[in-house]
Amino acid sequence: MENAVDQNAESSMCHVIYDRFGERDVLQVVTSKVPAPDRGQVLIRVHGAGLNPIDWKTRKGLGFAARQIEDSLPWTPGYDVAGEVVAVADDVTTLAPGDRVMGMIGFPATGGGYAEYALAAADELAIVPEELDLVTAGALPLAALTAWQALFEVAKLESGQKILIHAGAGGVGHFAVQFALERGAHVVATASAGNRDFLAELGVHEVIDYRTTDVAEECYGLDVVLDLVGGEAGKRSLHTLGEHGVLVTIPTVTADEIISAAEELGLKAHGMTVRPDVFHLDEIAELIEDGDVKVHIDQAFPLAQVADAHELLEGGHVRGKLVLDCR
């Protein structure tokens, strides 16, 4: 038994689907009935849906999430949402209609974020700080949680340590540099020359132009490397680590080869996969509330322009985050 959708809500909604893996032309915007929340769920009127690299990789049939959904097509992508709760199941007592929420939802098999309305488990959702508008908040969960868990759970970054963050101006990167600075670390980041000022404004101590400088010649004795690029960049970065340093690599495709290369050098490297964690999201929300962390939106797209958003996402040179404005 669920509470009915609020009478002001529409009975139908637009959402994005694809019914096969492929290029951007498989993305379609369709109309369906607004779903009702089942046990433990809430219905959200989505304002912002974040875009993440996993979205285009999964659309192409690449990676572990694609294996999870290949028998469930057509499928609505999107793991990041923020919006307003419009209905809750009878057993949900922690949230109520009108609450402003954000979360990493339905990961990895359900998704559903690229939509005007989305269902989410109540325990996946955190309250959005008043300082943050809901479209912007939609860009936060997956990237911020990736940065948080990589730095503090896997690398165990501490105050006073020196860290190199690859692709510091990107979605995960721009959160990671801010979290590391807030923790009291000395932060070095790689970026293109065009992002130097952006990172300097965030407080990064040193910015290295990866196009002109080899980090292995520039850095040594580091405590932590957060590798958001993978491949050769990750392997070269092993040479910047101190004896007890650790490298955390995020791209899953090259994680095994980087970990093997680290073992050959007698060094530590780990891969990781992000997971939803509402307690971490609450901690991140507090940092935003206090003004210590900002979410940078490179561009917002309406749902109808989802293919254009994926084109930019796939290009790999986004500053901060891309988001769908689903209002």
Side-chain angles (χ1 to χ4, degrees), residues 126-251:
I127 297 296
V128 175
E130 284 301 324
E131 291 77 5
L132 200 56
D133 72 85
L134 289 173
V135 174
T136 301
L140 186 144
L142 189 149
L145 287 170
T146 301
W148 189 272
Q149 291 165 12
L151 293 178
F152 305 132
E153 289 195 330
V154 184
K156 298 183 169 38
L157 181 70
E158 295 175 4
S159 177
Q161 290 188 324
K162 194 166 185 178
I163 180 172
L164 168 66
I165 297 172
H166 278 299
V172 176
H174 91 293
F175 287 122
V177 298
Q178 293 179 84
F179 295 159
L181 288 164
E182 201 277 331
R183 187 58 58 102
H186 181 94
V187 179
V188 183
T190 65
S192 63
N195 283 317
R196 179 179 294 277
D197 289 348
F198 172 68
L199 288 172
E201 284 169 22
L202 292 180
V204 171
H205 298 100
E206 301 171 54
V207 181
I208 294 174
D209 183 346
Y210 66 89
R211 290 173 173 155
T212 60
T213 307
D214 181 352
V215 294
E217 293 175 3
E218 197 76 12
C219 302
Y220 57 91
L222 298 179
D223 300 292
V224 177
V225 173
L226 176 56
D227 168 32
L228 301 170
V229 176
E232 287 306 311
K235 283 192 273 194
R236 285 291 293 160
S237 300
L238 291 168
H239 299 283
T240 69
L241 288 173
E243 186 184 350
H244 302 293
V246 59
L247 180 145
V248 182
T249 185
I250 301 302

Side-chain angles (χ1 to χ4, degrees), residues 1 7 47 55 76 98-99 136 139 157 161 206 208 217 225 234 236 241 244 246 252 257 275 279 282 284 300 309 313:
M1 178 76 179
Q7 288 186 342
H47 287 229
D55 296 353
T76 295
D99 284 345
T136 301
L157 181 70
Q161 290 188 324
E206 301 171 54
I208 294 174
E217 293 175 3
V225 173
R236 285 291 293 160
L241 288 173
H244 302 293
V246 59
T252 53
E257 65 186 72
R275 68 178 195 285
F279 299 106
D282 283 335
I284 292 163
L313 183 70

Side-chain angles (χ1 to χ4, degrees), residues 261-290:
E263 286 170 358
E264 286 172 20
L265 294 167
L267 295 166
K268 285 190 294 186
H270 303 285
M272 67 155 274
T273 301
V274 64
R275 68 178 195 285
D277 190 311
V278 75
F279 299 106
H280 291 164
L281 260 189
D282 283 335
E283 289 186 74
I284 292 163
E286 277 186 41
L287 292 175
I288 290 168
E289 213 161 13
D290 294 342

